[in-house]
Amino acid sequence: MEGQDKKKRTGTVVGELKSRKAAPNKINVIVEILGAGEEKARQYRVGYDPKVKGPIPDVPKAVKAANIGDRVEIDWVEGEGYNITKFQVLKKTDKKDDK
């Protein structure tokens, strides 16, 4: 059939970190992020890096350091669900400092 080697979908999400838990394998981390304009949080996990045969280095540490309620930005790729390839906490903007 044609189209068997479809490109994997990718994207960037900015939203609020709603929850974080260890994956069943105790190695990976699963988070729920409520994206801007979305009604329901989506579940994401740290992406797999075949070079290290495990989660992408540095991403689990960043995910674990984030606080629930933080505004975050992630890049993801579709695999077994949505896999995080980049994770960062966005700085809070203090409206008083904008003067």
Side-chain angles (χ1 to χ4, degrees):
M1 284 178 105
E2 300 256 354
Q4 284 293 80
D5 62 329
K6 288 191 290 185
K7 278 190 160 186
K8 288 187 177 184
R9 291 188 322 145
T10 62
T12 300
V13 172
V14 175
E16 182 182 342
L17 181 61
K18 290 293 193 182
S19 73
R20 173 184 50 238
K21 64 182 179 183
N25 66 10
K26 305 281 191 257
I27 297 168
N28 208 335
V29 180
I30 296 173
V31 296
E32 286 187 326
I33 297 172
L34 180 62
E38 293 184 342
E39 292 181 16
K40 187 178 177 204
R42 292 183 196 219
Q43 209 172 66
Y44 301 87
R45 71 178 66 205
V46 176
Y48 180 80
D49 184 348
K51 292 178 195 153
V52 297
K53 295 184 170 66
I56 296 171
D58 298 331
V59 175
K61 189 164 60 173
V63 170
K64 289 176 184 173
N67 296 310
I68 302 303
D70 278 351
R71 222 169 126 63
V72 298
E73 180 177 342
I74 65 164
D75 290 343
W76 59 268
V77 62
E78 195 172 41
E80 288 182 32
Y82 298 108
N83 298 306
I84 301 169
T85 56
K86 182 180 159 203
F87 183 98
Q88 71 179 52
V89 175
L90 299 176
K91 300 227 183 291
K92 288 185 168 72
T93 55
D94 188 348
K95 292 192 171 36
K96 293 176 198 163
D97 293 342
D98 291 345
K99 290 182 180 175

